[in-house]
Amino acid sequence: MKILVDANVPAADACFGALGEVVRRPGREIAPGDLRDADALVVRSITRVDAALLAEARCLRFVGTCTIGTDHVDTRLLAERGIAFASAPGCNAEAVVDHVLVSLATLAERQGWRLAERRVGVVGAGNVGGRLLHRLSAMGIDCLACDPPRVEAEDLVAPGSGAPADFVDLDTLIDECDVLCLHTPLVREGPHATHHLLDAERIAALAPGTLLLNAGRGDCLDGQALRARLAGQGDISAVLDVWEGEPGIDAALRDLVELATPHIAGYSLDGKLRGTHQVTRALCRAFGLPCRVSLDELLPAPPLARLELGPGLSTEEALRLAMRAVYDPRRDHDALQRESRRQGMAAGFDACRAAYPLRREFATLEVALLEAEGQMAGWLTGAGFRVTTA
């Protein structure tokens, strides 16, 4: 069996090597000819799997994407051709939530406000948004959510629904929240289309002081309208990890947002390895093979396993210290600025992703509080850390 794999998929040899010949290609360079004799294709989000890519595929029986999102894959075409398909739902959701929380903490410090005093609106309450709502709620932060498809499917507004936040329509969310976090899939048609969900009209309706964060899909937000609001009134802030036109993103918009990162919110080693392992299991099922590698075998020990915090810290100071001990998004902001200027926007964007440094998740760190005060332990636990107290 020949398995063609995006070169940025980690542990590919450990996971797929026992199943057949593993051939690696950079995700944006995978071409129809590469699939001429491939039995399986394993990609990430930057490879568009459509009729053009599959034009010369004669033996292909399986396509897997090591990502939550699937809008880069023509799943209808695969079904028509009898090609098995698998994604990795939830694989990097925890990493994206880590990114969101530390970005919010960074902006709070930079702009002089307290996260505890803000109401956060989450648009899209699926794998990522749902986890974000649970963590924010566990920290005691006021939340609202907007997810019409989920409300319809689960009747979440009903008493006793178990939802971590009140569900409202999008315009109510915009009116009532200080922070908006977008975590929707890209849906171009239908009653719940999300393409330019935040269009020029809704961006204009954002109250002064609003922080807008998008770690979902770039096309769910009108980038030109956001650039105009930031450059004109300059009275709102933005954190963007996803962009229209990736990798050749809008340089002017990049320079206007507070944190600009190259679609790496979910790029923890833990999340990547979960994705590889989930797709490996799906491939084995598709070909009737045993899966002999476990996720625990793939995950190394974290470089920082324990952090001790002594007295004298406020809760938010302790939170920032613990978060940044694991991951600081300012590193990724600086890398995008540097590499996009050095190599050009598209090449620099992709270079940041291809050479992404080691990053673990909050859950890999034990935070030892030598003298916990007030709500500190609850906040740290709610944020996702393993907390011990003296």
Side-chain angles (χ1 to χ4, degrees), residues 272-345:
K272 288 180 178 181
L273 290 176
R274 281 191 211 102
T276 306
H277 189 251
Q278 286 177 237
V279 170
T280 301
R281 293 175 61 191
L283 188 153
C284 288
R285 287 195 299 270
F287 285 86
L289 300 171
C291 182
R292 293 193 170 93
V293 61
S294 71
L295 181 59
D296 287 341
E297 292 176 271
L298 300 177
L299 284 169
L304 178 64
R306 190 172 190 270
L307 176 68
E308 291 187 359
L309 298 180
L313 294 169
S314 72
T315 296
E316 295 208 13
E317 285 172 335
L319 187 67
R320 285 194 297 269
L321 279 172
M323 287 177 170
R324 288 174 182 165
V326 179
Y327 170 53
D328 189 341
R330 295 175 299 185
R331 175 198 68 187
D332 297 329
H333 171 90
D334 291 345
L336 178 59
Q337 296 285 341
R338 180 182 65 248
E339 296 305 323
S340 60
R341 287 178 169 83
R342 179 183 297 169
Q343 303 185 46
M345 183 58 76

Side-chain angles (χ1 to χ4, degrees), residues 100-244:
V100 172
L101 292 178
V102 70
S103 296
L104 294 181
T106 297
L107 266 290
E109 180 184 39
R110 182 180 293 174
Q111 297 178 345
W113 45 268
R114 296 182 64 242
L115 186 54
E117 297 170 348
R118 295 293 171 114
R119 171 179 275 183
V120 179
V122 178
V123 185
N127 275 313
V128 175
R131 285 174 168 84
L132 176 59
L133 287 165
H134 278 288
R135 284 211 232 171
L136 290 169
S137 297
M139 296 166 66
I141 295 172
D142 191 17
C143 303
L144 292 178
C146 173
D147 193 327
R150 188 175 169 193
V151 168
E152 289 181 6
E154 302 179 28
D155 193 23
L156 287 177
V157 295
S161 65
D166 294 327
F167 278 69
V168 298
D169 62 77
L170 180 56
D171 294 318
T172 300
L173 192 99
I174 289 171
D175 287 342
E176 297 189 7
C177 293
D178 310 293
V179 177
L180 265 65
C181 298
L182 304 186
H183 299 289
T184 62
L186 179 60
V187 180
R188 295 189 177 275
E189 300 176 346
H192 299 304
T194 61
H195 180 262
H196 281 192
L197 184 66
L198 257 66
D199 55 13
E201 182 178 353
R202 283 179 168 141
I203 289 171
L206 296 175
T210 298
L211 170 59
L212 174 61
L213 188 152
N214 190 8
R217 286 290 179 262
D219 288 340
C220 294
L221 184 154
D222 186 334
Q224 289 187 352
L226 178 60
R227 183 183 65 191
R229 176 76 187 263
L230 293 171
Q233 295 165 259
D235 58 350
I236 65 170
S237 304
V239 172
L240 297 184
D241 180 62
V242 292
W243 310 75
E244 291 183 294

